[in-house]
Amino acid sequence: MSLIYGEKQDGVSQAVRIDDAGRLEVALGKLAGEMPNFNRIFTAEVWDYGSGNLDYNAVSTTPQQLRTGPGVLGQVQVLTADTGVTLTFYDNASGQASGTVLGIVDCATAGTSVRFGRPFSNGLVAVFSGGTDPKTAVVAVGRL
């Protein structure tokens, strides 16, 4: 028997429950995005794919500054393949192919998709290397 009662929003009173160990059982209101079956809050990452995709035809092997300042290198997907081509990502704020390597993607197969989830502190630079002319690799890069 419970000695404490509470009133619910609909005006009905209800006894406060206590578990076998004597702890008060509390039921919180449902939160937006709550997944009670998994005991967690649903979260979703929304990556910015910028104004366009990296196109090897346009940039050749010139380093491309994709972002200045801190962020996260997210999902990278090869849209158009080019055999022998790799794309390397660096943590660098000055647009140079130097600094910490965040990831490398082989561009030989269209549809290749890699989720890096690698944070960078200075900036994000992408550099294509390898391949032969004409160069055809196109890659979508997600970043936070």
Side-chain angles (χ1 to χ4, degrees), residues 10-133:
D10 60 6
V12 176
S13 63
Q14 179 176 349
V16 174
R17 298 178 55 104
I18 297 174
D19 68 11
D20 292 337
R23 295 179 297 239
L24 183 65
E25 290 183 359
V26 179
L28 301 176
K30 184 165 179 156
L31 303 171
E34 182 180 6
M35 300 172 69
N37 293 343
F38 301 105
N39 196 25
R40 63 172 288 180
I41 300 296
F42 176 75
T43 58
E45 296 173 334
V46 180
W47 298 102
D48 172 17
Y49 283 88
S51 59
N53 300 310
L54 289 177
D55 186 342
Y56 198 4
N57 287 319
V59 301
S60 77
T61 57
T62 304
Q64 296 298 299
Q65 187 81 51
L66 302 180
R67 182 177 175 129
T68 56
V72 178
L73 171 61
Q75 191 82 14
V76 177
Q77 183 171 12
V78 177
L79 302 178
T80 304
D82 194 349
T83 303
V85 172
T86 58
L87 179 58
T88 304
F89 296 95
Y90 296 92
D91 184 354
N92 189 298
S94 60
Q96 302 300 311
S98 62
T100 302
V101 174
L102 299 171
I104 300 172
V105 176
D106 182 355
C107 299
T109 306
T112 296
S113 184
V114 181
R115 184 185 185 285
F116 288 103
R118 294 282 313 269
F120 52 88
S121 56
N122 300 307
L124 181 60
V125 174
V127 182
F128 283 106
S129 60
T132 58
D133 291 328

